[in-house]
Amino acid sequence: MAPSSSSGLTFKLHPLVIVNISDHYTRVKTQLNPPPSVAAASGNGHGGDVAFQQNPRVYGCVIGVQRGRTVEIFNSFELLYDPITDILDRSFLEKKQELYKKVFPHFYILGWYSTGSDAQESDMHIHKALMDINESPVYVLLNPSINHAQKDLPVTIYESELHVIDGVPQLIFVHASYTIETVEAERISVDHVAHLKPSDGGSAATQLAAHLTGIHSAIKMLNSRIRVLYQYLVAMQKGDIPCENSLLRQVSSLLRRLPAIESERFQDDFLMEYNDKLLITYLAMFTNCSSTMNELVDKFNTAYDRHTRRGGRTAFI
């Protein structure tokens, strides 16, 4: 059991962070444990890595602001981390940090997140790796295991403190208390998601699995078609088959429609457009909330005016 924090910091966690971590974990788990039909079609067996596939761990950064002794965690993004080699992709982290700075200039990297039932000793490697960005990073841990008897949120926030253990100073994780902080748009979104129900009577997990299966099949088919074109062009280059200029023009026209996924320019443009779409979505949500609030205020003013006129008329008579 980790000791409690003595830093005196007040942590405020927004629901968007919990939703992002849950979504990240769900996507990774679905990719590692595809439906039986997809697993049989791809020919991938689970082998001896069943325990890791059933309980994968995901990693990411949490961002927000710190005002005095209050730390408010607003958002998060994913990290590329290899738990086997303990290698953190710093270039990806710096690129994501730069993109978020353009959209949210006041947000800073406050720490990182992961999934699991408890903090592990290996987690300190990532924690120390982020100390050059934030000298005292926060660690948000989400437990994805379902416990119907638990009433609290399965989220734990840790800080790191230097304790002397057996005469040796060591950094250890300590528990930090937190509160859930929401804005109007987040309350509306969370309430909307909580009331979502599948239209065909199936569970949400079944619909998600079917959706991801369709995406997997489409990507697999696209990969096979591109591989056929590649083998054809290689055979034509070697002289095994005759060169047909008309067919080459069609292949060239088709390849121009494919995005250059491996290029850095495509990644930058894609992430920039993705952030712009998120910003537009947030603005649309705020506009919708403002419109609803204006309608409520107008109805209240109308009812108040009617009540005032009736009361004044009675007093006058």
Side-chain angles (χ1 to χ4, degrees):
M1 182 69 178
S4 300
S5 172
S6 60
S7 64
L9 294 176
T10 301
F11 291 94
K12 296 181 179 180
L13 183 64
H14 283 254
L16 181 60
V17 180
I18 303 176
V19 173
N20 286 344
I21 301 175
S22 178
D23 173 71
H24 188 188
Y25 173 81
T26 303
R27 285 187 285 107
V28 172
K29 185 177 181 179
T30 305
Q31 292 171 3
L32 295 177
N33 299 275
S37 58
V38 177
S42 58
N44 294 331
H46 293 291
D49 204 15
V50 176
F52 174 73
Q53 290 185 357
Q54 290 180 350
N55 300 287
R57 298 198 67 190
V58 296
Y59 305 89
C61 274
V62 293
I63 59 176
V65 295
Q66 180 174 355
R67 304 181 184 93
R69 308 296 295 176
T70 302
V71 179
E72 194 164 358
I73 307 173
F74 281 94
N75 207 336
S76 64
F77 60 85
E78 301 173 13
L79 282 178
L80 296 181
Y81 174 73
D82 189 351
I84 300 178
T85 59
D86 287 336
I87 296 179
L88 178 65
D89 194 335
R90 302 288 301 196
S91 60
F92 179 81
L93 171 60
E94 294 171 357
K95 185 181 298 183
K96 293 286 289 185
Q97 183 181 7
E98 181 182 355
L99 290 174
Y100 267 89
K101 273 291 184 182
K102 294 179 181 179
V103 182
F104 307 104
H106 301 295
F107 285 4
Y108 297 91
I109 292 181
L110 300 176
W112 63 291
Y113 71 79
S114 182
T115 54
S117 58
D118 198 1
Q120 303 180 7
E121 295 182 0
S122 58
D123 295 342
M124 190 57 70
H125 295 290
I126 310 178
H127 201 78
K128 292 180 179 179
L130 295 176
M131 284 186 173
D132 58 340
I133 300 177
N134 190 318
E135 62 181 8
S136 182
V138 61
Y139 177 23
V140 180
L141 182 66
L142 173 68
N143 186 2
S145 301
I146 300 177
N147 185 4
H148 297 286
Q150 183 179 2
K151 296 181 179 180
D152 298 332
L153 287 174
V155 177
T156 308
I157 293 183
Y158 295 96
E159 292 184 86
S160 59
E161 290 183 356
L162 188 63
H163 287 204
V164 178
I165 302 176
D166 297 331
V168 180
Q170 297 180 8
L171 273 177
I172 64 172
F173 289 119
V174 293
H175 283 286
S177 59
Y178 68 92
T179 58
I180 299 296
E181 186 76 12
T182 61
V183 296
E184 185 67 24
E186 287 179 324
R187 286 194 290 270
I188 294 175
S189 301
V190 172
D191 182 72
H192 178 69
V193 172
H195 289 83
L196 281 179
K197 294 182 179 179
S199 58
D200 58 352
S203 64
T206 303
Q207 285 195 344
L208 177 62
H211 175 68
L212 295 177
T213 302
I215 295 177
H216 179 271
S217 301
I219 295 176
K220 184 178 178 181
M221 182 176 296
L222 177 62
N223 182 50
S224 63
R225 297 295 187 269
I226 296 176
R227 190 176 299 275
V228 170
L229 291 177
Y230 174 76
Q231 294 174 354
Y232 174 79
L233 294 175
V234 170
M236 184 180 295
Q237 186 179 15
K238 292 181 180 180
D240 296 339
I241 57 177
C243 180
E244 297 183 11
N245 293 328
S246 59
L247 188 57
L248 285 176
R249 284 193 293 269
Q250 295 181 11
V251 173
S252 178
S253 176
L254 179 62
L255 293 178
R256 289 194 186 97
R257 303 177 186 176
L258 298 176
I261 299 179
E262 297 297 332
S263 67
E264 296 182 358
R265 182 178 178 183
F266 172 78
Q267 290 290 344
D268 294 339
D269 294 342
F270 173 76
L271 291 176
M272 182 64 69
E273 184 176 354
Y274 177 72
N275 291 329
D276 291 343
K277 292 296 180 57
L278 287 179
L279 180 60
I280 293 175
T281 303
Y282 293 153
L283 290 176
M285 186 180 300
F286 292 150
T287 303
N288 190 17
C289 293
S290 300
S291 176
T292 305
M293 183 60 68
N294 288 333
E295 292 179 0
L296 178 62
V297 171
D298 291 340
K299 292 179 180 178
F300 178 80
N301 290 335
T302 302
Y304 179 77
D305 292 341
R306 290 179 179 177
H307 177 73
T308 303
R309 286 197 298 269
R310 291 177 181 177
R313 186 179 304 168
T314 303
F316 178 76
I317 295 174

